[in-house]
Structures are given as structure tokens and as C-alpha cells.
Amino acid sequence: MRRSGPRALFAAIALAITGAVQAGDSITLASTTSTEASGLFDHIVPKFREATGIHVRVVAVGTGQAFEIGRRGDADVLLVHDTAAEEAFVSDGYAAERRHVMSNDFVLVGPADDPADVAGADSALDAFRRIADGEHPFTSRGDDSGTHRAERNLWHDAGIQPRGRWYRELGSGMGGTLNTAAAMDAYTYADRATWTAFGNRQNLTLLFDGDDVMFNQYGSLLLDGDRHPHVKHDKARQWHEWLLSDQGQEAIASFRLRGQQLFFPNDATPPEP
Amino acid sequence: MDNAFQAAFRLIAERDPVLVEIVTLSLQVSLTAVLIASAIALPLGAAIALWQFPGRGLLIVILNAFMGLPPVVAGLMVYLMLSRAGPLGELGLLFTPTAMVIAQVVLILPIVAALSRQVIEELWGEYREQLQSLGVSRLGAIPTLLWDARFSLTTVVLAGFGRASAEVGAVLIVGGNISGVTRVMTTSIALETNRGNLPLALGLGIILLVLVATVNAVAYMVGESARRRLG
């Protein structure tokens, strides 16, 4: 036992070295759980690698945490969904550039018997009011993610301050929130990609979608190389620009899950000023 | 439950290459962390057991308390150290297996140090007079004590391994659960739970339990055969 000590240390050092080498021709992308859970990256990252030889290492977290990772310089590029916060991220000088990449929409899901009758609502705000008026259980992400921020905006626009026993802030990812909603027959606000990929629906069903205010825009943020000299700016830019190239947009559009297209390319949308 | 066992058996039967990669990395990270932590903590535990010094009681209390360090806190501490904005950011170790090893060392070191201190201290009580009558110094006594306590210390090290292989909070924060780079068993289970693939998540959990049981069984058998040989 004692003699294996030094050998074990060398093995540890070797592991440390391989860890560092692996990072050489790769970039780190901080993105959201919705894109990871749906399997989008498994579809588009290999295509990018084929085109450029660059490996993209995806760290999937909530949008709030992705911004924090970007601010600290721990990723090279972000792909998130909170347009207002993305613009602030650029104006605060953390990102050199921001582009619209793709979009989809949010959906309101809930128990199939739909006690609040949100399926009969004529708008998203109306649906939210019906849930609040009847104090029907609603599970909120509560994790400062892009989806959580979008949900809070809807409550705000509906003139409702959600609180009380019916409103459950979970502090959980989208999947965890859907698991909880399924277990307690609650309503919840989800991004369509995670909802489509989700395998544990039980009694949950899609009840309301299609309102323009439920639009979900994803943006790519290229970190500022001056602020963070160590970021792999050139490689990150290749990814950032590839996403908007015909090839990248085609890769996004061709991703299907359960026969459904989940992300819609934004090539027609001009970059934000 | 049935689906979970089916998922587990299917993954094993197919020798799913992604699963093999994840299992390999899990063992690599946790075993490396256990070896490094033990290399530091066993002599440290022995030293605390043998020497009297000011603040010794406080150090023992701190070590005992840190056995209960929440993995997310350990992960966050290592994250802030290794982040580009942190003191060790230059090394670029965040989101690598090395970062995961460091986080697990932080988690296990107090366990191995505190428990081995206890074991060695008891043994020292038995051996003290004999060793000192032979003119062996305290420093010289450490290898003898560690060797003679090796069976108890194996259990201590296994407790550390159990903690390392079971935790998810620390490796998720410092590793980032990057597919093919830092994805291990526990973070895969968390991801599949988030995808609502509960049978697959539980199936991975069953495989993890079998792995940990296997490592423990090997350690037990090695210990038993050594014990029999020594009579």
C-alpha cells in the first residue's frame, strides 16, 4: 500500500495535465438548461466541430448563472435567453457583441382536468389571472433563469403579485420544476424545448400557447477579449459567427425531437442596435 | 422501479460507450481524490494524535465539523478559487476533471484526517510505552502505527471514497457537467432527472451503487486475505 503512494501522485498529476490539454482546441459555452436538456447541442456541436475542428464544451446552467460565469470570464461565449439582460451585459462592457440566434416559445402546462380553465383563456395574461384568481397551485422556477424572468414579467404585466400557498417558488431547473408540477398537479410555465423533451409528464398536458408575449428569443454573446484577455476570442467568434451562418442556421432548423422542430433560426432578424 | 432495473441492465448489456466513459471518469476522479486526500490526511491524523500542541483541541473540533461540510459549499469555495476572477484563475482549471478532484479532496480530507486521528490515538495509547522503551521517536512511530492500524484505516479511506463517489453538488459546480469532459455518474443522474427520464436516472443510480459496492468488496477481500495470512 505504502509503495503505491508516489505512483498515485503521478497519476493525479497526469490527470491534471490531460485536463489542461483537453482545453486547448476547445471553447467553453455557458448556456441554458433548456438547450441542453432538449438535445440541441448534441445535434449542432458535432456539425460545428466537423466544419472547424473546434470542440465546444457546454456548461448548461440557468441564464442568471450563465451571466455570472460570463462576468467572471469562466466561459468564452454565452447562448442565453433574456434579451433585456443580454443588452445590459453588452452595455456593461462584458460582451463585445450580441446577436439573435434562434427562437421558440414558452408554453403553459398544467393538470389535464385544468381546474382554472386556462385552455379557454383568450391571452397569456388572462390565463395567468385565472390561475391566480382561483389560487390554483403554480410551480415557479424561482432560480433567476431566463424562463423564470419571462414568467415574472407575465405576472407583472397581468397586474398580479404572485404570493401565497398556491405559488411555489422551487429554485429548481426546468426539468425539476416539471417533475414537481407533475407530482402536485400544478400549473407551470415552461420553454417548449424542455417540455417536448420531458419524459415524466404523468397528468401534465400543454394547455395554453401561441400568444405573442410567450415568444422566447435566444441570443449569442461574445465575451469581451479586452476585459478577459485569456478568453479564446478567435475560436469563440468562429462559433458565434457559425451559428448565424447558413450552415449553422440550417443545423438549428434541422434539429427534430419527437418529430417536432424546437428552435427556429433567426437569420431574418437584424442584430439589435 | 422495474423500468429502472431494465434500464440499468440494458446499459450494462450494451456496454454503452457513453456509460463506459462516464463510469471511467467517475472512478478516475474519485479514486484520485481519495489517494491524494489519504496521502495528506493519514499522516496529518497521526501527527495530531501523537503530538500535543496549543490549539490541538480546536483543530480536532474543526476537522470533525468539516466532516459535515456540505458539498455545494465545498464546490462553491473551489469554484471561487479556480474561477478566472479568483486567485488561481491563471491555471485555467475550472470545468476540468482536475477541478473535480480538488473539490472532492476538500470534501474527503477532513473525514480521513478526523477518523484516522481517532484510530491512531487509540492505538498510540496501547503502543506508547513499548515503542518508547525501544527508543522509537514519535515521528518514527508514525509508520508503525499507520501500518498496524491499516485495517481500520482502510474503512476510514472507504468512507472517504463513499463520500466522494456519492456527492453531486461540488462536482456539478466546478466541473459543469460537460458532456464527454466532466460528466460523471452523479451529474448524469441529476441531468436525466431533469430530462424527466426517471427510469434511466434510477438505472444509473443502480449502476453507481453496484460500482461502489464492488470497490468496497475488493477492499474487504484484500483486507480479509491479509488478515488470514498474518493469522
Side-chain angles (χ1 to χ4, degrees):
Chain A
M1 265 306 261
R2 274 181 298 173
R3 274 190 203 147
S4 68
R7 225 176 290 164
L9 270 180
F10 284 127
I13 292 162
L15 183 66
I17 292 164
T18 50
V21 169
Q22 273 174 353
D25 46 3
S26 67
I27 56 168
T28 303
L29 165 70
S31 189
T32 70
T33 50
S34 54
T35 39
E36 168 81 353
S38 66
L40 173 73
F41 289 122
D42 296 337
H43 179 74
I44 65 172
V45 164
K47 291 185 197 294
F48 173 70
R49 191 179 196 180
E50 211 171 281
T52 61
I54 300 168
H55 191 63
V56 181
R57 312 182 333 154
V58 182
V59 179
V61 291
T63 289
Q65 199 186 339
F67 280 128
E68 182 58 23
I69 286 175
R71 266 193 288 273
R72 301 183 68 93
D74 291 326
D76 303 306
V77 64
L78 311 185
L79 184 65
V80 288
H81 61 142
D82 183 341
T83 303
E86 288 162 31
E87 279 163 2
F89 198 76
V90 176
S91 60
D92 289 347
Y94 291 107
E97 203 177 294
R98 167 179 170 276
R99 291 287 175 84
H100 277 163
V101 171
M102 62 190 186
S103 65
N104 59 11
D105 63 343
F106 294 108
V107 295
L108 187 56
V109 302
D113 59 343
D114 192 13
D117 189 29
V118 301
D122 48 27
S123 70
L125 299 185
D126 182 30
F128 269 51
R129 282 192 201 103
R130 288 174 188 224
I131 293 168
D133 288 349
E135 302 204 339
H136 298 286
F138 183 97
T139 56
S140 167
R141 292 278 294 271
D143 64 346
D144 196 34
S145 59
T147 306
H148 181 219
R149 292 174 182 191
E151 176 222 305
R152 274 192 315 211
N153 287 341
L154 283 185
W155 290 118
H156 177 263
D157 292 347
I160 295 163
Q161 281 218 322
R163 60 166 69 114
R165 281 191 54 77
W166 62 276
Y167 186 76
R168 310 282 171 95
E169 278 193 82
L170 302 182
S172 189
M174 192 71 258
T177 303
L178 284 167
N179 280 328
T180 308
M184 56 191 266
D185 270 341
Y187 291 93
T188 198
Y189 197 57
D191 68 280
R192 188 183 292 274
T194 307
W195 167 249
T196 306
F198 188 66
N200 179 37
R201 295 181 183 181
Q202 299 181 40
N203 194 29
L204 285 185
T205 185
L206 194 163
L207 294 169
F208 187 90
D209 65 349
D211 189 328
D212 285 349
V213 299
M214 297 165 86
F215 184 66
N216 181 22
Q217 176 66 54
Y218 289 86
S220 174
L221 286 161
L222 192 58
L223 286 207
D224 187 4
D226 294 335
R227 182 184 283 263
H228 295 297
H230 61 268
V231 300
K232 295 168 188 147
H233 198 264
D234 294 340
K235 284 174 185 149
R237 178 173 284 283
Q238 272 182 272
W239 161 258
H240 181 74
E241 286 176 354
W242 180 84
L243 281 174
L244 295 152
S245 71
D246 290 347
Q247 210 187 356
Q249 295 276 294
E250 166 57 29
I252 292 167
S254 65
F255 173 59
R256 291 282 185 289
L257 187 71
R258 300 180 191 197
Q260 269 193 56
Q261 179 174 352
L262 291 181
F263 296 95
F264 297 86
N266 256 126
D267 43 6
T269 316
E272 292 289 300
Chain B
M1 262 319 249
D2 288 351
N3 288 341
F5 280 105
Q6 278 168 16
F9 282 124
R10 205 187 49 241
L11 285 170
I12 295 168
E14 289 170 355
R15 286 198 196 78
D16 186 283
V18 177
L19 177 74
V20 171
E21 192 182 282
I22 290 172
V23 166
T24 309
L25 184 66
S26 296
L27 288 175
Q28 229 173 357
V29 167
S30 293
L31 289 173
T32 310
V34 166
L35 285 168
I36 295 174
S38 301
I40 302 166
L42 291 176
L44 179 68
I48 299 170
L50 265 57
W51 273 278
Q52 298 293 327
F53 52 90
R56 179 175 179 269
L58 184 68
L59 183 62
I60 291 172
V61 169
I62 290 174
L63 276 179
N64 287 344
F66 268 69
M67 288 201 286
L69 183 69
V72 258
V73 176
L76 198 55
M77 280 167 16
V78 174
Y79 175 83
L80 293 173
M81 293 294 285
L82 297 183
S83 166
R84 287 290 179 176
L88 301 176
E90 293 285 301
L91 302 174
L93 287 178
L94 195 67
F95 304 141
T96 64
T98 312
M100 298 158 81
V101 170
I102 294 169
Q104 291 194 346
V105 167
V106 171
L107 273 179
I108 331 169
L109 204 144
I111 295 178
V112 179
L115 295 179
S116 60
R117 196 270 314 163
Q118 184 80 35
V119 168
I120 299 288
E121 199 167 286
E122 279 165 25
L123 200 62
W124 179 234
E126 279 176 43
Y127 282 26
R128 184 171 191 162
E129 277 183 25
Q130 199 192 350
L131 285 173
Q132 284 183 337
S133 70
L134 293 169
V136 179
S137 69
R138 281 170 202 254
L139 192 63
I142 287 183
T144 312
L145 288 167
L146 286 177
W147 181 246
D148 282 10
R150 64 191 178 283
F151 298 120
S152 305
L153 292 178
T154 305
T155 310
V156 168
V157 170
L158 284 174
F161 174 73
R163 167 99 152 155
S165 55
E167 72 85 23
V168 59
V171 289
L172 193 59
I173 295 178
V174 303
N177 191 23
I178 299 169
S179 170
V181 184
T182 57
R183 184 162 296 168
V184 290
M185 290 298 289
T186 53
T187 58
S188 303
I189 293 167
L191 176 65
E192 292 308 334
T193 305
N194 272 328
R195 284 176 166 165
N197 292 336
L198 304 192
L200 179 56
L202 197 54
L204 289 168
I206 291 167
I207 295 172
L208 178 60
L209 280 174
V210 170
L211 273 175
V212 173
T214 308
V215 171
N216 276 278
V218 169
Y220 178 79
M221 284 186 297
V222 169
E224 279 301 293
S225 75
R227 215 189 290 262
R228 268 197 303 274
R229 243 183 301 129
L230 292 173

